[in-house]
């Protein structure tokens, strides 16, 4: 992949690390695309300037999470980086009435770009040079500033079949990033998680205050509440563990595990502080 990109972008490239993500690019076009996305997604899309990107949530009417999405704008073309792209398209299509909006899934992969010494890639080098919310777009080539986990670095969208998402999964658990099938859109038998939304999941930064969007009413009420019923927190186990996501324990529900790190929704009534000990299926953690 790096060799092919260097032929297209022959500028001198520095060494970088490419970390594949589970995200899929979705192109959105049509004269009503911007207004429609603004009405459906939690970010203030109306003020997003060309060649910029912002994170947003797609919610249900009950304010539960459908997906965490990055919205990139380039003039009249929009690109959404989604994890569960088929569900995103289905939910948006359900709410499209007469708006001139078209969704096209792109057969491409999204890679985070980090400083390192693994490969030399000029397009990735371009991504590293961008400001955290900047976008580079040239035909079907896209590069974004900042990684999918809100780290210093960048993102590139390119055709590639190689690579696993193991490194991304490890990093996102360490950094507390919720994921579809683990922290939301799950099949867990848990009353605690049924009403979890973006605020409980640590995604308040992706929800603009004072605007209307799908699910905004309940998000607004929860912002004004004295406290939330639960919050997504990181767990650190003493050793690598093999526990099932969805496992309930005294203070909450385990949702992700990777090595010695885990994520769990912790109930407010547990009154836990950072560093307090818990036990999950007989395994101690803090």
């Amino acid at each position: 992949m790096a060799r092919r990109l260097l032929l297209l972008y022959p500028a001198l490239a520095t060494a970088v690390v490419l970390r594949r993500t589970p995200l899929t690019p979705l192109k959105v076009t049509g004269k009503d695309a911007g207004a429609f996305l603004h009405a459906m997604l939690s970010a203030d899309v109306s003020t997003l300037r060309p060649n910029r990107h912002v994170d947003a949530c797609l919610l249900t009417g009950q304010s539960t999470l459908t997906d965490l999405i990055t919205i990139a704008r380039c003039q009249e073309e929009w690109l959404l980086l989604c994890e569960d792209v088929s569900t995103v398209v289905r939910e948006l299509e359900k709410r499209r009435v007469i708006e001139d909006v078209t969704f096209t899934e792109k057969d491409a992969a999204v890679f985070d770009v980090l400083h390192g010494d693994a490969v030399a890639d000029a397009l990735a080098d371009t991504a590293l040079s961008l400001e955290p919310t900047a976008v580079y777009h040239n035909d079907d080539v896209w590069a974004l500033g900042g990684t999918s986990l809100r780290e210093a670095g960048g993102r590139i969208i390119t055709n590639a079949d190689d690579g696993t998402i193991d490194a991304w999964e490890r990093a996102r658990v360490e950094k507390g990033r919720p994921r579809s099938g683990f922290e939301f859109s799950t099949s867990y038998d848990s009353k605690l998680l049924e009403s979890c939304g973006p605020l409980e999941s640590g995604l308040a930064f992706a929800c603009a205050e004072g605007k209307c969007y799908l699910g905004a009413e309940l998000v607004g009420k929860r912002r004004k509440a004295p406290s939330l019923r639960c919050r997504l927190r990181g767990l650190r186990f003493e050793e690598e563990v093999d526990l099932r996501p969805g496992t309930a324990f005294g203070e909450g529900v385990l949702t992700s595990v990777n090595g010695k790190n885990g994520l769990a929704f912790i109930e407010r009534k547990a009154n836990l502080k950072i560093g307090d000990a818990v036990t999950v299926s007989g395994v101690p953690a803090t």
Side-chain angles (χ1 to χ4, degrees):
M1 178 188 69
R3 288 195 298 272
R4 182 178 65 81
L5 289 175
L6 283 170
L7 292 174
L8 293 173
Y9 301 90
L12 181 64
T14 57
V16 299
V17 172
L18 297 181
R19 182 178 66 197
R20 186 163 188 161
T21 78
L23 305 177
T24 300
L26 177 68
K27 184 167 71 172
V28 185
T29 54
K31 64 181 180 64
D32 298 324
F36 181 75
L37 293 175
H38 180 73
M40 292 294 103
L41 302 178
S42 63
D44 188 355
V45 179
S46 66
T47 60
L48 187 63
R49 292 180 288 132
N51 302 316
R52 292 288 166 176
H53 68 80
V54 67
D55 289 330
C57 298
L58 175 61
L59 306 178
T60 66
Q62 292 73 42
S63 297
T64 56
L65 270 165
T66 299
D67 210 343
L68 173 61
I69 297 169
T70 296
I71 312 165
R73 181 184 180 188
C74 185
Q75 299 304 326
E76 298 307 314
E77 185 174 330
W78 305 77
L79 192 73
L80 308 186
L81 304 184
C82 318
E83 188 176 349
D84 187 358
V85 67
S86 60
T87 299
V88 169
V89 171
R90 184 180 69 245
E91 292 302 308
L92 292 178
E93 284 283 14
K94 278 166 48 176
R95 292 166 174 83
R96 184 173 66 86
V97 184
I98 60 173
E99 293 88 351
D100 178 16
V101 182
T102 301
F103 305 102
T104 307
E105 183 178 344
K106 294 175 64 68
D107 185 16
V110 181
F111 288 83
D112 284 332
V113 182
L114 303 165
H115 291 280
D117 56 3
V119 296
D121 188 310
L123 178 59
D125 202 28
T126 297
L128 287 180
S129 71
L130 295 172
E131 296 177 3
T133 61
V135 173
Y136 168 82
H137 179 220
N138 183 7
D139 293 328
D140 279 339
V141 175
W142 293 77
L144 283 67
T147 75
S148 63
L149 301 180
R150 296 171 64 82
E151 306 154 302
R155 275 166 282 182
I156 59 173
I157 292 89
T158 183
N159 296 321
D161 296 324
D162 57 331
T164 71
I165 66 166
D166 292 350
W168 183 88
E169 176 65 15
R170 181 169 59 252
R172 76 100 190 161
V173 174
E174 290 177 358
K175 297 181 182 303
R177 195 266 199 195
R179 184 180 178 193
S180 176
F182 292 85
E183 282 69 45
F184 59 91
S185 298
T186 69
S187 57
Y188 307 145
D189 183 15
S190 170
K191 292 291 185 183
L192 180 64
L193 303 189
E194 286 181 356
S195 60
C196 285
L199 303 187
E200 293 84 355
S201 303
L203 301 178
F205 67 86
C207 298
E209 296 189 55
K211 68 158 285 199
C212 293
Y213 57 90
L214 185 64
E217 183 177 357
L218 284 176
V219 173
K221 288 181 179 178
R222 289 174 185 173
R223 281 190 192 274
K224 297 176 183 178
S227 60
L228 299 170
R229 182 184 178 190
C230 63
R231 288 184 184 273
L232 185 65
R233 300 300 191 198
L235 296 180
R236 179 70 175 176
F237 296 93
E238 295 178 355
E239 57 187 21
E240 293 192 3
V241 295
D242 184 17
L243 296 172
R244 183 185 297 275
T247 298
F249 57 102
E251 295 81 10
V253 179
L254 181 72
T255 54
S256 291
V257 178
N258 194 286
K260 295 182 180 182
N261 296 306
L263 295 174
F265 281 98
I266 302 296
E267 291 192 80
R268 176 189 63 207
K269 65 183 182 182
N271 198 29
L272 292 179
K273 301 178 180 62
I274 295 175
D276 286 351
V278 297
T279 301
V280 184
S281 293
V283 182
T286 54

